[in-house]
Amino acid sequence: MNTHVRIVVALLLGALVFAVTTVVVTAGFEPQIEFSLLIGLPVGVSAGLTALFASYVLLWHRDQAAAGTVSGRAVRLRLAALATIADFVTVTAAGVGLYVVLGRSLGISLLIAGLPVTLPLAAAVGYLAAGGSRSELGEVQTQ
C-alpha cells in the first residue's frame, strides 16, 4: 500500500473513531452530567489519536510483512501501537468503573487526565519492551 494511501486511511479512521467516541461518551454521561461534552471531547481525542497512530503503524507493518521482510523498527512500533490500544481500553474501562462504583470525580479525572498521560507512556513502554536500539538496522525475515 502506498504511503499516501496509508496516511489517508489512518486519518479517516482516526476521524471516525474520534466522532463516534465523542458522541457515545457524551450521550452516555448526559443524564448525570450537564456538560458531558467536557468529558466526551478529551476521550474522543484520545481515541482518535490512538486509532490514527495504531492504524498507520499496523498497516505499515502489514505491508512490510507482505513484502517479506519486517524491520526491527516496524516490530517495535507495532508493539507500541498494540500497547496504546490496550492502554486506551484499560484506562477507559477503569475510569468508567471508578465513576460508577466509587464516585464521579475520580472516574472523570481518570478519563480526562489519565488518558492523555498514559497513552504516550504506553507507546514508549511498548516500543522499549520490543527491545533493540535505534542504531540497530536488522530485519526480520517473514518468509
Side-chain angles (χ1 to χ4, degrees), residues 19-36:
V20 169
T21 304
T22 301
V23 168
V24 167
V25 170
T26 302
F29 282 106
E30 188 175 18
Q32 294 90 14
I33 300 172
E34 187 173 338
F35 299 108
S36 59

Side-chain angles (χ1 to χ4, degrees), residues 2 13 20 23 26 30 46 61-62 70-71 75-76 84 89 91 96 98 103 105 107 111 118 129 134 137-138:
N2 186 348
L13 185 63
V20 169
V23 168
T26 302
E30 188 175 18
S46 297
H61 185 274
R62 184 200 64 169
V70 178
S71 68
V75 171
R76 289 189 299 275
T84 57
V89 170
V91 172
V96 171
L98 287 172
S105 63
L111 290 173
T118 61
R134 296 189 102 203
L137 297 175

Side-chain angles (χ1 to χ4, degrees), residues 12 15-16 20 23-24 40 42 45 51-52 54 57 72 74 79 95 106 109-110 115 118 120 122-123 134 137 139 143:
L12 289 174
L16 177 68
V20 169
V23 168
V24 167
V45 167
L52 175 82
V57 168
L79 188 57
L106 186 59
S109 298
L110 186 60
L115 282 173
T118 61
R134 296 189 102 203
L137 297 175
E139 293 184 345
Q143 292 181 358

Side-chain angles (χ1 to χ4, degrees), residues 75-140:
V75 171
R76 289 189 299 275
L77 284 173
R78 179 177 176 260
L79 188 57
L82 295 175
T84 57
I85 294 169
D87 177 72
F88 178 80
V89 170
T90 303
V91 172
T92 302
V96 171
L98 287 172
Y99 175 80
V100 169
V101 174
L102 292 180
R104 296 174 186 240
S105 63
L106 186 59
I108 291 171
S109 298
L110 186 60
L111 290 173
I112 293 174
L115 282 173
V117 171
T118 61
L119 288 173
L121 289 175
V125 168
Y127 186 83
L128 294 174
S133 63
R134 296 189 102 203
S135 63
E136 182 180 279
L137 297 175
E139 293 184 345
V140 179

